[in-house]
């Protein structure tokens, strides 16, 4: 690294929600060391310092920025990023130059969560089960225990890799939860929309030899989804009974619905699912509460409904193996510059023309020099 300009290790910036007020209150704080770790200080045993290269947004991030109270501020948003290890404490297996992503749930290793401890410490948000907040990753530098990190395959770009911890692992869990009956090749799934989780599900489904029906309000997006391998598409704007249409297209109901809408789409999911099928609830983009018609179909169709809350380390590792074999590349819709992070949040909140993930290019200098 001789002759390469080195960064100032005494401070590192972050995008911070400084006060209540939503996205307008997101500011670039040049020195955010008070919100987690002091750059250049001695690292704890087993800990490493990471230069963040890129971070990606989830709907959760927009919600937190909109609704956080004064008591939780100042706050650094986002759970998903990729970065380069720049320094290591004692007793670490990772080394400078390794490229890693953080685990969304740092204490959940495998299996179904049986107590709140597995779901504590989620980055960049509130812990609904235990209370409290954990600062997020939309910053230049991050310190973490190496057990809460996972190495990322070289073939992925930084933008692509940054999308994996929440959206990627959520999609993988929805299709391959180890506690459920495995989907067999030829099984049919129904996906809602063309956001990050749904497109990950589409890509994983094709690698697992599953059939895919996908919905969208845009015929152009449906065409793009078919180009990625979707077997059929339904425009829910022009076909209000899209759940029943999916039931017909699948000749008796889909095996799995990956439901990102919540209360606003559950009626349609019950229309679509086969007898004995399952609905994997992964979000509530269409509402947390509301009327659900003919709820009795849950029991007379023997439908199983499961909550999916991202996933565990083992699932992340298995997902990366399949991705590496099939050379799956996450779909990135748009990349924003670090200083324009607020525009990325605005674009996410609008949600109109998006197809895939939104990424913020953080690009710390250390990350560049570590590859030279």
């Amino acid at each position: 690294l001789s002759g390469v300009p080195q960064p100032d290790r005494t401070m590192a910036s972050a995008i911070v929600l400084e006060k209540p007020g939503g996205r307008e209150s997101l500011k670039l704080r040049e020195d955010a060391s008070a919100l987690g770790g002091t750059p250049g200080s001695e690292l704890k045993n087993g800990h490493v310092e990471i230069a963040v290269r890129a971070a990606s947004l989830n709907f959760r991030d927009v919600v937190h920025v909109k609704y956080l109270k004064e008591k939780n501020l100042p706050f650094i948003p986002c759970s998903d990023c990729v970065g380069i290890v720049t320094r290591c404490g004692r007793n670490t297996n990772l080394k400078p130059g390794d490229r890693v992503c953080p685990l969304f749930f740092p204490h959940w290793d495998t299996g179904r969560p049986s107590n709140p401890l597995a779901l504590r410490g989620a980055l960049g948000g509130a812990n609904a089960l235990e209370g409290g907040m954990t600062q997020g990753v939309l910053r230049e530098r991050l310190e973490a225990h190496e057990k809460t990190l996972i190495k990322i395959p070289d073939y992925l770009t930084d933008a692509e890799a940054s999308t994996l911890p929440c959206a990627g692992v959520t999609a993988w869990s929805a299709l391959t939860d180890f506690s459920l009956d495995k989907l067999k090749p030829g099984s049919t799934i129904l996906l809602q929309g063309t956001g990050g989780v749904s497109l990950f599900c589409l890509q994983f489904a094709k690698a697992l030899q599953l059939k895919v029906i996908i919905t969208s309000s845009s015929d152009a997006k449906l065409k793009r989804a078919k180009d990625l391998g979707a077997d059929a598409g339904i425009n829910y704007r022009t076909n209000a009974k899209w759940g029943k249409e999916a039931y017909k297209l699948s000749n008796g109901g889909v095996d799995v619905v990956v439901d990102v809408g919540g209360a606003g789409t559950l009626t349609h999911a019950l229309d679509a699912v086969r007898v004995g099928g399952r609905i994997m609830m992964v979000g509530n983009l269409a509402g947390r509460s509301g009327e659900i018609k003919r709820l009795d179909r849950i029991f007379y169709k023997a439908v199983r409904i499961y909550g999916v809350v991202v996933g565990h380390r083992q699932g992340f590792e298995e997902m990366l193996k399949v991705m590496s074999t099939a050379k799956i590349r996450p779909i990135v819709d748009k990349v924003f510059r670090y200083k324009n992070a607020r525009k990325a949040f605005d674009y996410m909140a609008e949600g109109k023309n998006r197809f895939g993930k939104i990424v913020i290019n953080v690009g710390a200098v250390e990350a560049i020099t570590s590859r030279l």
Side-chain angles (χ1 to χ4, degrees):
L1 301 181
S2 177
V4 177
Q6 295 296 301
D8 179 0
R9 291 187 178 277
T10 63
M11 59 186 291
S13 68
I15 302 298
V16 180
L17 185 67
E18 298 283 5
K19 59 183 180 180
R23 301 188 301 274
E24 291 298 317
S25 297
L26 285 170
K27 306 292 183 183
L28 174 63
R29 184 187 285 197
E30 293 293 346
D31 183 5
S33 57
L35 300 180
T38 301
S41 63
E42 183 177 354
L43 295 170
K44 297 177 183 177
N45 190 49
H47 281 231
V48 300
E49 183 182 77
I50 303 158
V52 177
R53 294 291 300 269
S56 67
L57 298 186
N58 297 291
F59 182 68
R60 166 183 185 263
D61 303 316
V62 174
V63 171
H64 280 315
V65 166
K66 183 176 181 179
Y67 293 109
L68 282 183
K69 306 297 184 183
E70 183 76 41
K71 65 180 181 179
N72 299 124
L73 305 179
F75 182 71
I76 302 172
C78 297
S79 60
D80 291 13
C81 75
V82 67
I84 303 295
V85 174
T86 54
R87 295 191 300 132
C88 300
R90 296 188 303 275
N91 301 316
T92 58
N93 293 311
L94 291 174
K95 60 185 183 299
D98 286 340
R99 193 170 64 142
V100 296
C101 282
L103 301 175
F104 186 91
F105 289 117
H107 308 290
W108 185 12
D109 291 327
T110 189
R112 297 287 288 179
S114 58
N115 61 69
L117 295 180
L119 303 181
R120 74 186 191 278
L123 292 168
N127 187 324
L129 297 176
E130 292 184 323
M133 304 288 294
T134 305
Q135 295 289 350
V137 301
L138 192 48
R139 56 173 81 191
E140 284 187 304
R141 262 181 248 145
L142 176 70
E143 181 184 334
H145 196 287
E146 69 169 8
K147 290 184 178 179
T148 69
L149 304 169
I150 192 164
K151 291 181 68 173
I152 300 301
D154 289 339
Y155 81 91
L156 294 170
T157 67
D158 290 329
E160 292 166 343
S162 74
T163 68
L164 299 176
C166 181
V169 175
T170 296
W172 182 256
S173 298
L175 298 184
T176 67
D177 190 310
F178 296 124
S179 67
L180 305 177
D181 298 334
K182 288 188 177 181
L183 288 170
K184 299 177 181 177
S187 298
T188 302
I189 66 170
L190 173 63
L191 305 176
Q192 300 169 354
T194 55
V197 171
S198 292
L199 290 183
F200 266 119
C201 279
L202 169 55
Q203 292 176 290
F204 294 154
K206 301 321 293 182
L208 298 171
Q209 301 178 55
L210 308 177
K211 295 180 180 178
V212 176
I213 302 171
I214 193 167
T215 69
S216 174
S217 61
S218 164
D219 287 338
K221 290 183 180 181
L222 289 176
K223 182 181 183 304
R224 291 182 67 182
K226 288 180 180 179
D227 290 342
L228 290 172
D231 298 277
I234 304 171
N235 187 318
Y236 63 80
R237 294 287 188 206
T238 58
N239 191 337
K241 297 181 178 180
W242 52 268
K244 293 181 178 179
E245 179 66 16
Y247 185 91
K248 294 177 183 177
L249 290 172
S250 56
N251 297 315
V254 301
D255 297 284
V256 171
V257 180
V258 180
D259 192 289
V260 300
T265 54
L266 187 54
T267 293
H268 300 285
L270 289 168
D271 286 338
V273 71
R274 68 167 172 82
V275 170
R278 60 182 184 253
I279 299 172
M280 308 301 285
M281 303 290 295
V282 305
N284 54 9
L285 297 178
R288 299 170 63 180
S289 61
E291 181 183 2
I292 300 171
K293 297 179 180 179
R294 295 297 307 276
L295 198 62
D296 58 336
R297 288 175 297 174
I298 294 174
F299 50 83
Y300 83 63
K301 291 177 80 171
V303 175
R304 295 164 291 171
I305 299 179
Y306 294 89
V308 178
V309 56
V310 193
H312 44 66
R313 184 184 190 96
Q314 181 185 352
F316 203 151
E317 292 169 345
E318 293 294 329
M319 177 189 77
L320 290 178
K321 290 178 183 177
V322 171
M323 289 184 67
S324 295
T325 299
K327 289 296 182 286
I328 293 172
R329 308 192 78 102
I331 306 301
V332 175
D333 177 79
K334 196 168 184 178
V335 179
F336 289 81
R337 298 175 66 183
Y338 184 48
K339 68 177 184 179
N340 294 330
R342 193 167 69 191
K343 292 183 179 179
F345 278 81
D346 292 340
Y347 184 65
M348 180 78 177
E350 292 167 2
K352 293 181 179 179
N353 299 313
R354 184 162 52 90
F355 189 89
K357 296 292 292 180
I358 298 168
V359 173
I360 297 169
N361 180 23
V362 179
V365 175
E366 293 109 318
I368 299 171
T369 60
S370 68
R371 291 281 178 119
L372 296 178

